[in-house]
Amino acid sequence: MAATVEVGGDMFPAIGMGTFGSDRYGAAEVAAAVRTAIGVGYRLIDCASVYGNEAAVGEAIAGALDEFGLRRDELTVMSKVWNDAHAPADAVASVRRSLADLRLGYLDAVFVHWPFPNHHAPGVDVGARDPHATPYSHDGFMAVWRALEDLVDEGVIRHLGVSNVTIPKLRRILADARIRPSLNEMELHPGFQQPELFEFCLAEGIRPVGYSPLGSPSRPERDRTPDDVVDLELPPVLAIAQRRGLHPAQVALTWAVSRGQIPIPFSVKEEQLRANLEAASGDPLTAAELLELATADRDNRLIKGQVFLWEGAGDWRDLWDVDGIIPGWGGYGTPAID
């Protein structure tokens, strides 16, 4: 079993299993993989309402707990509130639906999946837009957050997390949150290391959770562009893989765990699940190897989020506050708080 890391005063597994496979795998296939993953030693499962498979995953979790003689508190399960549930009552309903689908009395963590209430149908083209899309509204986000804080008070959520946020947005959230986020789920892989945001999170006691930790080789076609870097072919990754006798994917995961983020790779194959877990449980990278892997960073964001843009926005960079300003109108073109 993999090591653990501290999250808001509790211990979480240092690696988890993601369950976003809806573009390539059906709910039954993802659920079967979850059961296999628990069987080989995974103790963290990252879910989301928008993945459309939580009911099947919940059945798999219940079966695995029984089959492998595990207690509920030996498993860490996380879920997320999707963009179509940013009204406070809808956010609460989303969490209760996830609890019912996952057959759990509480969730170890719940994330606000994206900071925008901009919904899109499954599988849309990258050029699709929600006609009602809006830029970031801090008041709107905090209304959702306060509804989730109430569920923490109720005891059905243990920790709250943000996802796909930037330093300017996170500073504002931290200034106004009664219950601070314990986690930030963000894109993290050797070709996209987000060092400023990563270090900001650690300094604030927020544990980064890294999605697409292998560079998302199976990501949907809509998220691919000609300039994308293939992480598992980057020279520093290949060099360390050769020296250590590892697959490049194992190097990426060893790097993630050594750096202090929780990677959540997805796979349906048992041999890959085992190899990923072994990477997270093996010898960490040395300080010299971490410096070597730092040179792999290409600032290559793969999940750009174009479908969440609003009318009047520029390109996908407007979602990520690249100049330190939260763009928008109606008072939302707000500079970062120093």
Side-chain angles (χ1 to χ4, degrees):
M1 191 181 302
T4 57
V5 294
E6 192 272 335
V7 173
D10 292 328
M11 302 308 295
F12 274 38
I15 186 172
M17 178 187 174
T19 57
F20 175 52
S22 55
D23 280 68
R24 291 177 180 263
Y25 300 98
E29 292 172 289
V30 175
V34 167
R35 192 158 182 161
T36 299
I38 296 172
V40 302
Y42 284 79
R43 294 295 179 264
L44 188 157
I45 309 297
D46 179 73
C47 308
S49 58
V50 75
Y51 299 165
N53 55 26
E54 285 193 329
V57 168
E59 183 178 0
I61 289 173
L65 291 176
D66 182 61
E67 178 180 355
F68 303 114
L70 298 172
R71 303 186 311 273
R72 164 66 184 94
D73 62 6
E74 295 179 273
L75 195 65
T76 299
V77 183
M78 312 190 301
S79 188
K80 308 177 192 74
V81 172
W82 184 239
N83 306 359
D84 60 353
H86 273 222
D90 293 339
V92 171
S94 174
V95 172
R96 297 203 190 282
R97 186 166 54 252
S98 289
L99 286 165
D101 286 345
L102 292 167
R103 305 186 184 191
L104 300 173
Y106 67 90
L107 287 160
D108 295 279
V110 168
F111 299 82
V112 181
H113 206 148
W114 286 81
F116 311 100
N118 302 342
H119 178 58
H120 64 80
V124 296
D125 181 81
V126 72
R129 297 288 182 271
D130 174 358
H132 306 294
T134 64
Y136 177 72
S137 161
H138 185 62
D139 289 344
F141 184 92
M142 291 311 301
V144 179
W145 193 260
R146 292 185 182 104
L148 298 179
E149 288 176 328
D150 290 342
L151 293 179
V152 174
D153 295 339
E154 186 181 321
V156 297
I157 299 174
R158 296 287 176 87
H159 296 276
L160 294 179
V162 292
S163 183
N164 296 301
V165 299
T166 60
I167 291 177
K169 292 185 180 77
L170 190 48
R171 279 183 170 147
R172 300 208 62 179
I173 293 164
L174 288 170
D176 292 338
R178 176 172 63 87
I179 298 176
R180 291 164 56 92
S182 300
L183 300 141
N184 179 17
E185 191 159 316
M186 51 196 280
E187 182 180 338
L188 289 170
H189 44 89
F192 189 62
Q193 300 184 17
Q194 300 209 69
E196 293 86 2
L197 178 57
F198 179 82
E199 293 297 336
F200 180 84
C201 287
L202 293 184
E204 292 291 341
I206 300 169
R207 180 66 58 181
V209 177
Y211 70 75
S212 301
L214 307 180
S216 195
S218 298
R219 66 189 180 280
E221 290 299 325
R222 67 175 179 272
D223 290 322
R224 298 175 185 267
T225 63
D227 297 330
D228 289 346
V229 169
V230 179
D231 285 69
L232 304 188
E233 296 177 2
L234 291 169
V237 175
L238 293 175
I240 294 174
Q242 184 175 19
R243 288 201 305 267
R244 285 185 168 238
L246 297 173
H247 189 281
Q250 292 180 301
V251 173
L253 295 175
T254 302
W255 166 80
V257 173
S258 301
R259 193 175 180 230
Q261 64 213 43
I262 302 174
I264 46 170
F266 169 75
S267 179
V268 298
K269 298 177 181 178
E270 182 174 345
E271 62 270 23
Q272 291 179 347
L273 289 165
R274 288 185 181 276
N276 292 347
L277 192 62
E278 288 169 5
S281 307
D283 292 335
L285 297 186
T286 65
E289 287 173 324
L290 286 171
L291 287 172
E292 185 177 1
L293 258 296
T295 68
D297 192 5
R298 300 294 185 270
D299 195 26
N300 180 216
R301 186 184 294 277
L302 299 174
I303 310 302
K304 298 175 176 65
Q306 297 97 319
V307 293
F308 303 122
L309 288 169
W310 53 90
E311 183 179 355
D315 64 12
W316 59 268
R317 293 170 183 82
D318 278 356
L319 299 167
W320 303 105
D321 310 337
V322 293
D323 57 359
I325 301 293
I326 302 173
W329 62 80
Y332 298 132
T334 307
I337 298 173
D338 293 327

